[in-house]
Amino acid sequence: MMNRGDLVTRKSYGEDVVFEIIDINRQNAFLSGVEYRLVADSPIMDLNKVIDYRSTKDYMRSHTKVQQTQRLIERYRRVQQETNLHILGGQDKEEELKSYFEVPGKVLHLDGDSRYLTKSLDLYNKLRVPVEGHYFREKDMPEQLYDLLPTVKPDILVITGHDSMIKNRRNRDDYSLDSYKNSRNFAKAVKIAREYEKNKDTLMIVAGACQSHFEALLQAGANFASSPQRILIHALDPVQIASKISYTSIKDTVNMSDVISYTISGIKGIGGIESRGSYRIGLPNIKNSENNH
């Protein structure tokens, strides 16, 4: 017997994605991807219950990649510290590390799924990225940005949630926004953000979800967007991109092949344009100076 909250896979799709049942009736279940930004419905008879989620490919791939990202960012931060010491000309590493403070780029994250937002905020916190997150339905995001952008003043804006190519539409045009569930809403939100800040190095925008209209989002003004090959993207891919931008120096451009390699979906799922980082250092470390008096 299937119940709300159960983890399941779909037999007819080769059990390729793990879902959570978010609603159910006598014949059909309504599903949301655990790792991928995908919503679906399915006949109950087509579902298999997942007994051990940690043994699934979805979990192992996601868990491994998130851990890898954490290690890469920590390693990158150590290299940054060495660079900062060189810039400051310090001889005593321990003392010089205390002499400056870090200002990683601040993220404003809008998500059309509250569960994915919670997961995203947890990863930002693990990666020590300053973030403010909000859940809004995708159609409400453009209007909400009018108030949020001047209030939050982010360095990086993430606009994501749910999207998909609309099935069973006659003469579907993959390059028309009418063929997508939410790409038009995402594009409107990006345009509003670009009206607020036209400089793409002052406000970096990461936009899109599963199967989103990649070209339209870039044309609207995004720095990075999904999905070049119209594939499913992992729920945390936008977080991986934003976190790397947050800890890349403003003196450097983000290495695009490097940052995309941080994602689970890869180049088929995420693409973008050359952009500067948003990480800064400052002098003196006021907190440390106060402790010395």
Side-chain angles (χ1 to χ4, degrees), residues 159-219:
I159 302 167
T160 188
H162 289 294
D163 204 359
S164 62
M165 302 182 75
I166 298 173
K167 297 179 181 179
N168 306 320
R169 172 166 286 184
R170 285 186 181 180
N171 302 318
R172 187 181 76 185
D173 179 1
D174 291 355
Y175 291 94
S176 168
L177 284 169
D178 292 333
S179 298
Y180 297 80
K181 182 179 178 180
N182 275 314
S183 288
R184 186 179 299 278
N185 293 321
F186 292 144
K188 284 182 180 178
V190 172
K191 286 179 180 178
I192 285 170
R194 275 290 159 246
E195 289 173 6
Y196 168 79
E197 177 51 71
K198 292 181 173 56
N199 190 324
K200 292 182 179 178
D201 289 327
T202 301
L203 177 65
M204 268 71 66
I205 302 176
V206 183
C210 285
Q211 298 185 323
S212 288
H213 194 317
F214 169 73
E215 296 84 357
L217 296 180
L218 283 190
Q219 288 168 5

Side-chain angles (χ1 to χ4, degrees), residues 81 84 88 96-102 281-283 285:
Q81 288 179 344
N84 293 341
L88 296 171
E96 288 297 332
L97 284 174
K98 295 178 183 178
S99 71
Y100 69 90
F101 60 94
E102 297 178 294
I281 62 170
L283 289 170
N285 188 332

Side-chain angles (χ1 to χ4, degrees), residues 5 30 34 40 58 82 91 97 100 102 108 120 161 200 203 206 223 227 238 245 247 252 262 272 277:
F30 300 90
V34 175
D58 265 15
E82 295 295 335
Q91 301 298 319
L97 284 174
Y100 69 90
E102 297 178 294
L108 171 60
S120 296
K200 292 182 179 178
L203 177 65
V206 183
N223 297 67
S227 164
I245 297 171
Y247 274 100
D252 300 328
Y262 278 45

Side-chain angles (χ1 to χ4, degrees), residues 3-211:
N3 297 294
R4 186 182 298 180
D6 286 346
L7 299 184
V8 296
T9 55
R10 296 178 294 179
K11 301 172 191 175
S12 59
Y13 284 80
E15 303 189 69
D16 57 340
V17 175
V18 178
F19 293 90
E20 179 183 347
I21 297 177
I22 55 176
D23 203 0
I24 195 167
N25 58 33
R26 289 184 178 180
Q27 294 183 324
N28 293 298
F30 300 90
L31 313 171
S32 180
V34 175
E35 301 293 345
Y36 289 87
R37 291 183 173 271
L38 177 63
V39 289
D41 58 84
S42 172
I44 293 173
M45 296 298 293
D46 191 41
L47 300 178
N48 267 337
K49 190 177 291 189
V50 173
I51 305 302
D52 181 11
Y53 174 59
R54 289 176 178 267
S55 69
T56 64
K57 290 181 181 179
D58 265 15
Y59 174 81
M60 289 189 287
R61 181 167 53 230
S62 172
H63 186 66
T64 299
K65 194 67 178 182
V66 168
Q67 286 189 320
Q68 180 188 22
T69 296
Q70 287 182 257
R71 288 195 298 268
L72 287 170
I73 287 185
E74 287 301 324
R75 186 173 67 187
Y76 186 73
R77 282 171 57 81
R78 288 194 294 271
V79 172
Q80 279 180 322
Q81 288 179 344
E82 295 295 335
T83 302
N84 293 341
L85 290 176
H86 178 73
I87 292 170
L88 296 171
Q91 301 298 319
D92 188 325
K93 181 175 181 180
E94 185 174 343
E95 286 304 311
E96 288 297 332
L97 284 174
K98 295 178 183 178
S99 71
Y100 69 90
F101 60 94
E102 297 178 294
V103 187
K106 182 179 182 180
V107 177
L108 171 60
H109 183 116
L110 303 191
D111 209 311
D113 189 300
S114 59
R115 295 174 311 110
Y116 293 147
L117 175 61
T118 299
K119 280 189 171 187
S120 296
L121 294 178
D122 181 58
L123 182 55
Y124 283 122
N125 289 331
K126 286 179 179 176
L127 298 175
R128 290 178 281 174
V129 174
V131 61
E132 182 170 322
H134 294 272
Y135 160 66
F136 298 114
R137 291 179 298 178
E138 289 83 357
K139 69 183 185 66
D140 296 329
M141 290 178 179
E143 183 178 352
Q144 294 294 335
L145 282 172
Y146 281 116
D147 294 326
L148 283 171
L149 286 169
T151 302
V152 180
K153 296 181 175 63
D155 302 293
I156 304 155
L157 172 64
V158 175
I159 302 167
T160 188
H162 289 294
D163 204 359
S164 62
M165 302 182 75
I166 298 173
K167 297 179 181 179
N168 306 320
R169 172 166 286 184
R170 285 186 181 180
N171 302 318
R172 187 181 76 185
D173 179 1
D174 291 355
Y175 291 94
S176 168
L177 284 169
D178 292 333
S179 298
Y180 297 80
K181 182 179 178 180
N182 275 314
S183 288
R184 186 179 299 278
N185 293 321
F186 292 144
K188 284 182 180 178
V190 172
K191 286 179 180 178
I192 285 170
R194 275 290 159 246
E195 289 173 6
Y196 168 79
E197 177 51 71
K198 292 181 173 56
N199 190 324
K200 292 182 179 178
D201 289 327
T202 301
L203 177 65
M204 268 71 66
I205 302 176
V206 183
C210 285
Q211 298 185 323

